[in-house]
Amino acid sequence: MIDYLQNLSPVTQAFFATLFTWALTAAGAALVFLGREIKPKILDGMLGFAAGVMIAASFWSLLAPGIAMAEQLDLIPWLTAAIGFMAGGIFMRLTDKILPHLHPSMARSEQEGIKTSWQRSTLLVLAITLHNIPEGLAVGVAFGAVSAGLPTATLGGAIALTIGIGLQNLPEGTAVSMPLRREGLSRGKSFFLGQASGIVEPIAGVLGALFVIKMQFILPYALCFAAGAMIFVVVEELVPESQRNHKNIDFVTIATMIGFTTMMILDVALG
């Protein structure tokens, strides 16, 4: 597979990679065809696993390579990392504050972002769509970085990140489709809306790759930006959502560690 990808442009690589992550979002949403419910403990564990994957990916696949690139480009590594990382978090906070959305465990009255009369189902999809933006961006930036020819950016590392993001997209698709099914939507519509939350990833991936190819001098900042955006999602959404049932905290914590370990192995083995 690596040999085949090497013959493609970075933008095409990013496009196919984010199609893969979108497909796994759809696979997670497809669980709605197996039933109306999934045990809360299992879903919490899946979200904890996703959080672990994203934390590991943020460091191993994004932040650490960004710092190394800053050194190679004669930038101040700690300052580059701090600026990029915080910019990613601030960007997600601003987006979170503006875009109307609703997390699955919240009542309609707890809608975040600009107030709107949109249906609850639309707001649920937008919540996951919002958090898929940094994931697609991270994959796109990773493939775009390979084209810079810097030793810290490898195709294997970009593939590892893609696999990790794809794995954690499974529970995200489920986290949309199952609540919609419980609220009375048909299985087909619940699946369609669940998988639709991942459509933003190919868009963000292609834009991320194009952006860093055109302006390679911002690569270290872009990698750290993607890391900050992903950590924001983990702390603001995945961890609270996975630990809302205090009886499952230990189980979720272990699932988070398993997710972190899985992503770390992928990155070290392939990167």
Side-chain angles (χ1 to χ4, degrees), residues 64-77 145 148-153 219-220:
I67 292 172
M69 285 182 192
E71 293 176 340
Q72 293 165 0
L73 296 174
D74 294 325
L75 299 172
I76 303 173
L150 298 173
T152 49
L219 256 177

Side-chain angles (χ1 to χ4, degrees), residues 4 10 17 82 111 186 236-237 257:
Y4 173 74
Q111 173 200 322
S186 67
E236 194 270 345
E237 166 62 13
M257 294 183 69

Side-chain angles (χ1 to χ4, degrees), residues 3-26:
D3 290 338
Y4 173 74
L5 287 174
Q6 285 176 333
N7 297 322
L8 302 176
S9 72
V11 174
T12 305
Q13 291 170 349
F15 177 68
F16 282 124
T18 46
L19 283 182
F20 168 77
T21 60
W22 179 16
L24 288 186
T25 301

Side-chain angles (χ1 to χ4, degrees), residues 106-153:
M106 292 182 174
R108 182 66 173 79
S109 59
E110 297 177 284
Q111 173 200 322
E112 298 181 34
I114 296 173
K115 297 302 179 184
T116 178
S117 60
W118 292 349
Q119 292 184 348
R120 177 179 171 86
S121 58
T122 302
L123 295 173
L124 287 170
V125 173
L126 285 176
I128 302 299
T129 301
L130 168 64
H131 294 161
N132 279 337
I133 294 173
E135 297 165 13
L137 180 65
V139 173
V141 169
F143 279 99
V146 177
S147 67
L150 298 173
T152 49

